Amino acid sequence: MQKFLLVVIPTMENAYHRLKDFVAIPVPIGITTIAAVLEQSGHRAGIIDGDAEDLTSEELLDRVVRENPDYVGSTSMTATMDLTVDFYARLKKRLPRVKVVLGGPHVSALPTRTLQDHPQIDVVVRREGEETIVDLLAAAEQGRDLRTVRGIAFRTETGEVVSTEDRPLIEDLGKLPLPAYHLLRYDRYRSYGWNSWTSGCREPIGVVFTGRGCFGKCNFCAARVVFGAGIRFFPIERIKQELDLLVNQYKIRVLYFQDDTFTANRKMVNDVCDYLIEKGYQSRLDIMVSSRTDTVHLPTLQRMRQAGIRWICFGVESGNQAVLDRMHKNTTLDDIRNAFRLANQAGLSVAGNYMIGALGETWETAMDTINLACEMKQDYASFAITIPLPGSELYEHCLQKGTPLPSWTGFGNVNSPPIPLNENLGGEQLRELRRLATNRFFKRPGFFLRLLWRYRAWAVITDFARAYLALRQEMKANRY
């Protein structure tokens, strides 16, 4: 059987610089699930996570060469695409025969362009990869034409790029094996810095999905290019098995349900909460979820808190209704205020994710967002500048309008120059608004006193002091 090595190319230093200690190193669920189906089908699989193992690109390259795999692959994200193709160009010089396979949102959105621009990439796996990757390796072993493999794009011997028919989405997610956690150095993964405010722990962290996809239609989101429209849920028994494995074998202290909208399926939420309580996990874990503001229900939020869920992160995006409408968020300012009120009433810690620079944004509408963030009773907030990711409606809008777009490295959220989408807000104005939002929100005395009262005071003070110094250095380097 063939050997497939899955790698995470190190990007933390390039993306975050002095802020990297504050961000999470997430468990790479995508490639660990791919590794699991490869092992299930009899192939040899391995994982090297350059970020988690704190490797340089050269160190990772040496490791891959020593492994000498038949195939090597990665998940592609737009902001790291330039680093990814550079890594594989160097790898091909040392291992010319190795086949390079990329999956993920970026190449799912731009499969043909990826292969045309980058001869070092041999195959693109579009959308979900578990069934496709097994079929791809079977076709190679059997000598089948790759045109028979649904859901890929590849380059023929003559240089022609061929894109095969779409593979249907996996309807029965329960048939997927549990992720191949045993292939990871599991102790190297961690949550966000602010998780330490509550429990004092950032690791070990477990990441679990109760489903795939989202029912939202936000114009800035590219999730549909991989998972399609709507949500497909894992069976509750599989979720229970994964929770047991993570708690009992990997001894996790922090758990993140990484669904875009954890509260979308109220029955699923209640079933998960019942199991957490039944097993006593609510007293052993610091749990975080993400959600939309139009899916909250007080009794469900209260049950979540009883089950050990501490943090809920809402995708607010904007404090201006016209901007929300234009991004097709399908939420209202009343939804937002109600969600924060109910989450606080349930005893949850609340975080809000906000966005500056969406289509139709002006200085005044951005100030509406900043004012709303400061109005809401919440324990953390993040302020991002809108990015038109390939696969999103926003990216297509930019192409149609001729909006200047940078190289892929310029699609990052922290250390990349902003991409202006509106004529009245240039890059420097967007940066100024993000700085203003950060300063206005985090420098409020009442907010800081709230954190000291609710959380471990020394952890909060230490975190704020370190973050302040790091942000000053990033601003001095003109990266934030």
Side-chain angles (χ1 to χ4, degrees):
M1 285 294 180
Q2 301 174 86
K3 182 176 183 179
F4 202 121
L5 187 62
L6 295 142
V7 302
V8 176
I9 296 165
T11 60
M12 293 283 286
E13 179 66 34
N14 181 75
Y16 296 106
H17 295 279
R18 291 177 175 86
L19 297 173
K20 68 178 184 178
D21 289 341
F22 302 95
V23 299
I25 301 178
V27 178
I29 292 296
I31 63 172
T32 51
T33 307
I34 294 292
V37 297
L38 287 169
E39 289 188 328
Q40 187 181 60
S41 61
H43 296 285
R44 293 177 294 156
I47 299 175
I48 305 175
D49 188 334
D51 276 332
E53 297 187 37
D54 200 22
L55 302 175
T56 66
S57 182
E58 281 300 319
E59 288 169 338
L60 176 62
L61 188 63
D62 290 340
R63 287 268 299 273
V64 174
V65 171
R66 287 198 300 270
E67 292 278 347
N68 194 26
D70 301 292
Y71 290 84
V72 63
S74 300
T75 299
S76 66
M77 307 301 287
T78 299
T80 60
M81 192 63 187
D82 290 339
L83 292 173
T84 298
V85 295
D86 174 72
F87 176 84
Y88 285 121
R90 289 183 285 132
L91 178 63
K92 282 281 195 175
K93 290 179 181 178
R94 297 178 63 179
L95 289 179
R97 66 163 191 83
V98 72
K99 297 296 183 184
V100 175
V101 182
L102 288 188
H106 181 86
V107 298
S108 291
L110 302 172
T112 301
R113 177 175 171 180
T114 297
L115 292 167
Q116 289 173 339
D117 291 350
H118 307 295
Q120 63 272 45
I121 309 303
D122 297 296
V123 180
V124 162
V125 173
R126 307 192 317 268
R127 306 181 82 179
E128 292 176 313
E130 289 88 358
E131 293 179 341
T132 302
I133 206 75
V134 173
D135 193 16
L136 172 66
L137 268 62
E141 288 183 334
Q142 298 162 7
R144 277 194 282 127
D145 190 327
L146 292 187
R147 290 177 176 83
T148 65
V149 180
R150 292 184 294 178
I152 67 169
F154 68 97
R155 191 183 301 99
T156 67
E157 292 182 358
T158 63
E160 177 192 5
V161 173
V162 175
S163 190
T164 66
E165 66 175 293
D166 287 340
R167 181 177 296 274
L169 296 170
I170 302 169
E171 289 302 322
D172 179 13
L173 295 175
K175 67 184 179 182
L176 295 176
L178 295 179
Y181 296 125
H182 61 280
L183 298 177
L184 302 173
R185 290 187 58 183
Y186 204 86
D187 61 323
R188 304 304 296 267
Y189 297 95
R190 69 181 188 223
S191 186
Y192 300 96
W194 37 275
N195 272 114
S196 65
W197 299 352
T198 51
S199 65
C201 295
R202 295 180 64 185
E203 70 276 331
I205 182 174
V207 175
V208 172
F209 286 86
T210 66
R212 287 182 174 179
C214 181
F215 63 81
K217 300 178 181 179
C218 306
N219 68 2
F220 56 83
C221 183
R224 286 188 171 210
V225 78
V226 175
F227 295 126
I231 307 176
R232 293 160 291 134
F233 292 96
F234 286 96
I236 185 63
E237 291 306 318
R238 185 192 184 280
I239 297 170
K240 291 178 180 179
Q241 290 173 14
E242 191 166 3
L243 289 171
D244 290 342
L245 177 68
L246 290 168
V247 173
N248 298 321
Q249 183 170 332
Y250 293 96
K251 310 298 182 185
I252 65 168
R253 297 288 304 279
V254 181
L255 173 64
Y256 181 22
F257 286 105
Q258 205 170 355
D259 308 79
D260 290 328
T261 308
F262 178 74
T263 55
N265 182 333
R266 199 171 294 168
K267 182 180 185 307
M268 172 66 79
V269 173
N270 284 317
D271 287 346
V272 168
C273 289
D274 288 346
Y275 190 69
L276 291 168
I277 293 170
E278 174 191 331
K279 300 293 285 189
Y281 294 159
Q282 83 280 8
S283 62
R284 299 168 63 180
L285 300 173
D286 196 29
I287 306 174
M288 179 170 62
V289 303
S290 296
S291 189
R292 289 171 55 97
T293 59
D294 56 349
T295 62
V296 295
H297 172 248
L298 181 58
T300 304
L301 294 174
Q302 291 170 331
R303 188 60 171 167
M304 287 164 53
R305 185 67 193 95
Q306 292 169 357
I309 294 172
R310 184 62 182 264
W311 285 92
I312 186 165
C313 303
F314 288 121
V316 178
E317 321 314 349
S318 178
N320 180 274
Q321 191 61 55
V323 174
L324 287 171
D325 293 343
R326 189 161 182 183
M327 67 173 63
H328 311 315
K329 185 70 181 179
N330 291 328
T331 56
T332 67
L333 297 177
D334 285 342
D335 290 333
I336 295 166
R337 291 186 170 96
N338 184 58
F340 277 72
R341 179 180 60 81
L342 293 179
N344 276 283
Q345 187 176 337
L348 293 162
S349 296
V350 187
N353 296 324
Y354 299 86
M355 186 179 295
I356 294 169
L359 283 183
E361 190 86 279
T362 64
W363 186 276
E364 289 73 25
T365 62
M367 289 304 303
D368 289 340
T369 299
I370 295 170
N371 291 334
L372 180 70
C374 293
E375 171 194 336
M376 292 297 95
K377 188 178 179 182
Q378 60 186 313
D379 303 274
Y380 191 80
S382 67
F383 299 93
I385 294 175
T386 306
I387 302 171
L389 294 169
S392 69
E393 180 186 326
L394 196 52
Y395 181 75
E396 295 304 317
H397 170 88
C398 290
L399 295 183
Q400 293 169 10
K401 294 293 185 180
T403 303
L405 297 174
S407 66
W408 300 134
T409 302
F411 282 71
N413 188 35
V414 178
N415 290 311
S416 303
I419 303 173
L421 304 177
N422 304 282
E423 292 182 2
N424 58 331
L425 281 180
E428 191 49 48
Q429 289 175 298
L430 290 170
R431 272 186 167 161
E432 186 178 347
L433 281 165
R434 182 169 61 183
R435 291 177 190 139
L436 179 60
T438 301
N439 286 328
R440 278 273 306 275
F441 184 85
F442 287 101
K443 289 185 176 180
R444 292 172 297 149
F447 169 72
F448 190 63
L449 290 174
R450 169 184 167 86
L451 298 187
L452 294 179
W453 176 257
R454 286 171 59 87
Y455 304 111
R456 300 168 70 249
W458 182 246
V460 172
I461 293 169
T462 303
D463 216 30
F464 266 65
R466 292 173 58 241
Y468 174 75
L469 293 174
L471 276 171
R472 279 180 63 93
Q473 291 173 317
E474 290 299 293
M475 289 178 180
K476 188 178 295 185
N478 203 31
R479 288 192 295 253
Y480 188 86

